[in-house]
Amino acid sequence: MESATPVIVAIDGPAGTGKSSTSKAVAAQLGLSYLDTGAQYRAITWWMVNNGIDIDDPAAIAAAAGKPEIVSGTDPQAPTITVDGVDVAGPIRTQEVSSKVSAVSAVPEVRARITELQRSIATSAANGVVVEGRDIGTTVLPDADLKIFLTASPEARAARRSGELKGADVHSTREALIKRDAADSSRKTSPLAKADDAVEVDTTELTLAQVIECVVTLVEEKRAGK
């Protein structure tokens, strides 16, 4: 592929919208780096849990926020994440971490630490990067070349997410998603929100392939016009 102008793409939205699958596929197709910011918040949450930090004590979380060393590999074909040199790609996806990530993520010191990490990765990506998360277009990379906000109905999102979490029941998954969205949308620091200049893509009725095609087209148009 000919080298094109580096492009920074922010993809935000709640869980179960196809964000990760879409972001990875778009990055791979267009030769961009890929960063899963949710994994970084999960990684710091995993570290807190493993090190006995009281998740109900924001001051304790804040005090420990600078301790773990989090390294994200940005190859969309094989993204990696380590904490203090330990591969945590599997452990960070447990229900225990999922249930605690909103509380840890809400602590301003944690957000400041992870946001700084995300910005340094995004600005050093030679060909550009697709960054997926919940506050990328609004807070982390407000000057991103292209901002996309993926949405889907709670039912569609729960069905997808319970498909990922083998054996999870759709009803309880839907309740958990709605609860987490409410927590993430109402937190004071960098809430889950659509940027004013973001393109909204409702994925409820779309297949993953259609969502990917839509986003690739948006990126290519943006790159052509840069």
Side-chain angles (χ1 to χ4, degrees):
M1 198 176 112
E2 80 287 359
S3 70
T5 317
V7 62
I8 292 180
V9 182
I11 299 186
D12 290 304
T17 50
K19 208 168 43 178
S20 294
S21 308
T22 299
S23 300
K24 276 186 270 207
V26 168
Q29 209 167 314
L30 296 175
L32 305 174
S33 295
Y34 159 76
L35 177 60
D36 174 358
T37 64
Q40 296 176 314
Y41 283 107
R42 285 173 170 276
I44 201 165
T45 301
W46 174 86
W47 185 91
M48 298 275 175
V49 170
N50 260 26
N51 284 274
I53 309 296
D54 181 357
I55 301 300
D56 297 320
D57 180 356
I61 293 173
K67 293 180 179 173
E69 187 194 1
I70 297 165
V71 177
S72 295
T74 58
D75 175 358
Q77 312 278 13
T80 57
I81 185 150
T82 62
V83 180
D84 298 335
V86 178
D87 174 3
V88 294
I92 63 171
R93 302 291 168 188
T94 61
Q95 191 52 49
E96 184 182 24
V97 170
S98 296
S99 65
K100 292 177 174 162
V101 69
S102 287
V104 174
S105 304
V107 176
E109 289 80 358
V110 169
R111 296 208 79 79
R113 162 90 202 282
I114 302 289
T115 296
E116 189 184 347
L117 186 60
Q118 290 162 359
R119 284 180 182 149
S120 69
I121 291 169
T123 51
S124 63
N127 295 330
V129 64
V130 176
V131 184
E132 62 136 313
R134 291 173 168 236
D135 67 336
I136 310 307
T138 50
T139 303
V140 180
L141 300 167
D143 297 328
D145 299 303
L146 176 63
K147 301 175 189 179
I148 293 167
F149 194 83
L150 296 184
T151 62
S153 72
E155 289 69 26
R157 291 165 43 216
R160 289 172 192 164
R161 187 39 72 94
S162 58
E164 291 166 19
L165 307 166
K166 301 292 173 262
D169 112 62
V170 175
H171 179 72
S172 59
T173 303
R174 178 176 180 272
E175 296 305 306
L177 284 179
I178 290 172
K179 187 176 166 189
R180 182 159 168 218
D181 291 343
D184 290 351
S185 302
S186 61
R187 65 168 176 245
K188 289 190 180 69
T189 311
S190 309
L192 163 66
K194 175 177 174 258
D196 294 337
D197 53 348
V199 179
E200 186 163 324
V201 179
D202 187 332
T203 70
T204 306
E205 304 291 333
L206 302 178
T207 63
L208 179 59
Q210 288 171 321
V211 179
I212 293 165
E213 187 183 356
C214 172
V215 175
V216 165
T217 303
L218 288 168
V219 177
E220 285 179 332
E221 284 170 0
K222 177 56 74 173
R223 211 148 55 167
K226 272 193 79 169

